[in-house]
Amino acid sequence: MSSDGFSAELAREQAYVTTLYTKLDAERADAQRRLDETLLQTGGTPQARTERDVATTRYTDRLAQLGSVEQGLAFGRLDFVPESAEETTYIGRLGLFDEDDDYRPLLVDWRAPVARPFYLATAASPEGVRRRRHLRSLTRKVTGFDDEILDLTAADQGQDLGLAGEAALLAALEQRRTGEMSDIVATIQAEQDRIIRAPLGGVMVVQGGPGTGKTAVALHRAAYLLYTHRQQLTTRGVLVVGPNSTFLRYIGQVLPSLGETGVLLATIGQLYPGLDADGVESREAAEVKGRLVLAEVLANAVRDRQRVPEPVLEIEYEHDVLKLDRKTCADARTRARRSRRPHNPARRLFVSDVLDALTRQAARKLGEDLLDGQDLTDIRAELAADDHVAAALNSLWPVLTPEGVLDDLFADRERLATAARKLLPAADQALLESGRDAHWTPADVPLLDELAELIGVDDTEARVERKRREREDRAYAEGVLDILEQDEEIIDEELLRVSDVLDAELFAERQVARSELTAAQRAAQDRTWTFGHVIVDEAQELSAMDWRLLMRRSPNRSMTLVGDVAQTGAAGGARSWGEALSPYVADRWRLEELTVNYRTPAEIMAVAARVLAEVSPELVAPSSVRETGVPPWSVRGEVAELPGLVTAELSAVDGGTVAVLVPAGRFEEVSGLLGSFDERLSVLTVERAKGLEFDSVVLVAPDEVVAGSPRGLNDLYVALTRATRRLGVLTTGDDVPALSVLG
């Protein structure tokens, strides 16, 4: 295409994109107008107020969606060649339609079936596409475009990686990193698209090496599922679990940029309502807490709080003494346990049986032949209200909380030894001991969740109160209907009474105010919430107890698990997907693999592949799509030399980001040295860097990374594959054989 032709075509694209933004602005203004009108409505019937709340939520969500797709609204175009004439379809972040032209699509949502050829069409299989165009833009200005003519006779079908939109893809990969993850909606590749659009149900594992786009695929899958199964998933919500809070901040803008704002992003440490577990502990302690045997230890800890007297418990009552013997309490305990209810709900059965025994004992002291049924009822009520009796019952079967049980367990060596019995050796028990003022750690959260299941909540009184309110609401509704039925009205030209179309129960239900919280917001406050779909990134890091927690959040087993067993760093993490999943779904899961590395240049991947071969000769590194011509460098020196090395890297990446990755034991030292060096610089442990990417990476003391854990080579592999352009290694101690290629 000539320069003049390119300019003319660019002007035409700009004109069309301007039309799209005009439409976007009009829809945004309309949604704002409707929201303002809705908010001005006051008073009215309960039903009218409920409808107002629903409309408010709908317009607020729509405004959020329209406001989040400003950048790169339209990014692609497909020119089809049907039998009659050429047809053009524009692809973008959401769908826009022309209401004045029979709702003709102006812009097709990237998730719609008609948009799929944009990601899948090739010269060998064009799917009716003559030309695929990738639009480049900055805010609302189209700055350029790249065309692919899908003509089998003209296209080069040599040895390649099957990339779609290669020019646009490579341009995106060469962009400087900003500290936040960008979406890949304009450059999704065929192997990624297949996973993104996979069916909703079942457990799908996405195995992919570093840089294969696992995280991006997981997030785009969340957006696709919400688009395709909107009604189902809007009700139950989608949960996306990441490895740490740094990672969540990094990916935080991806889903909003795709028009989705109702997904719950959380770490394992944030899945216990009211708690953001950010405490720090040793890898060894976290590994012990993650073992499946801890579920049995916690069950023992709860059972140990269900005591019987040794041999008799004396209770002061009205200037007398009542006695509870071991057999009476043991029988009551056995009955409560056989109910299979959690601890707190089962307590009601235990208390009832013990109160019955105390009532009979008190009656005998008063002369039970002289007492009638009402007298016995009164005595029982007095016993239940007596402070001494209450204290005795609490000593035998206390009301528990998960936090209290776990805190007591870790703070009391004797209590822990009793609960662990023969399940944990003394050395492991010592790792679990902590002070009462210790912060909760991410590894504690699955334990708290397990305890919450074991302990339960006695909601008997709450249920009674709820039933009482329901009866009152129904009575009110019946009264309203009686008044309304005094005025008959014509419906569908037929004389009907109100009761013919609306009964009291339905009317009462309509008076319950609809919550303005999204499903994700409600789920964050409800430990027992179950999600429509769960997506887990870095899933190979999950412990056995983590898996138990997540499976409770997904009883329908609709999950997408993304990870790479070659990058497993946690001592309790997955060695294989089958091992991790078999307790929950047996072999009923499917595996998808990502094989192309879009992040890491070939020069860096060659070094990382040598490390991977030492992890396991059977593992194969993903193929890199590009070379940079910049070989990784290595120097031997001291940590004090880092400021000079970092300065050089910041200059080399020209406004991009630089990360200094350190062993855990060096973090404080290096952070203090580099401090507020530059806002583009991050100092992270290898564990905290997992899932992130930077233009340049400087790895410090690789020998200490390898020696830092039983899976140190896995950690080294992770560290080497965080860079998109440049990699440097500062060796301060022993050489690592796998890095000898660096010289």
Side-chain angles (χ1 to χ4, degrees), residues 329-476:
C329 294
D331 289 344
R333 182 176 67 176
T334 298
R335 178 172 177 267
R337 286 177 173 177
R338 284 178 177 172
S339 72
R340 309 189 74 83
R341 299 179 187 178
H343 173 90
N344 286 344
R347 182 181 186 272
R348 181 173 292 272
L349 296 176
F350 176 82
V351 168
S352 178
D353 284 357
V354 172
L355 284 177
D356 286 345
L358 291 174
T359 299
R360 290 192 296 270
Q361 189 176 148
R364 285 195 297 270
K365 289 178 177 291
L366 294 173
E368 57 184 334
D369 293 341
L370 303 175
L371 303 176
D372 59 18
Q374 184 59 50
D375 293 329
L376 294 177
T377 300
D378 293 341
I379 292 173
R380 195 180 193 281
E382 290 172 0
L383 285 167
D386 185 85
D387 291 341
H388 293 100
V389 173
L393 291 172
N394 284 333
S395 70
L396 298 174
W397 196 299
V399 175
L400 300 179
T401 65
E403 296 88 341
V405 171
L406 197 59
D407 192 29
D408 290 347
L409 186 66
F410 290 167
D412 189 323
R413 181 173 301 180
E414 183 177 347
R415 193 186 295 274
L416 178 58
T418 302
R421 295 185 174 96
K422 297 180 180 180
L423 300 172
L424 291 174
D428 289 342
Q429 293 179 34
L431 288 171
L432 296 178
E433 293 177 19
S434 64
R436 291 178 179 273
D437 59 346
H439 292 290
W440 296 117
T441 70
D444 289 326
V445 167
L447 307 186
L448 291 170
D449 196 71
E450 186 78 21
L451 283 168
E453 292 289 310
L454 293 167
I455 292 170
V457 176
D458 185 357
D459 62 349
T460 303
E461 294 182 1
R463 284 188 282 110
V464 170
E465 175 62 18
R466 186 165 60 250
K467 289 292 185 182
R468 184 191 63 79
R469 289 198 303 268
E470 289 175 357
R471 287 195 299 271
E472 289 182 352
D473 290 343
R474 183 179 177 86
Y476 167 77

Side-chain angles (χ1 to χ4, degrees), residues 27 79 119 143 150 215 235 238 390 424 482 489 548 612 658:
E27 290 206 11
D79 295 338
Y119 303 109
T143 59
L150 303 184
T215 298
T235 302
V238 173
L424 291 174
D482 287 342
E489 56 182 295
R548 283 176 68 88
L612 184 62
V658 176

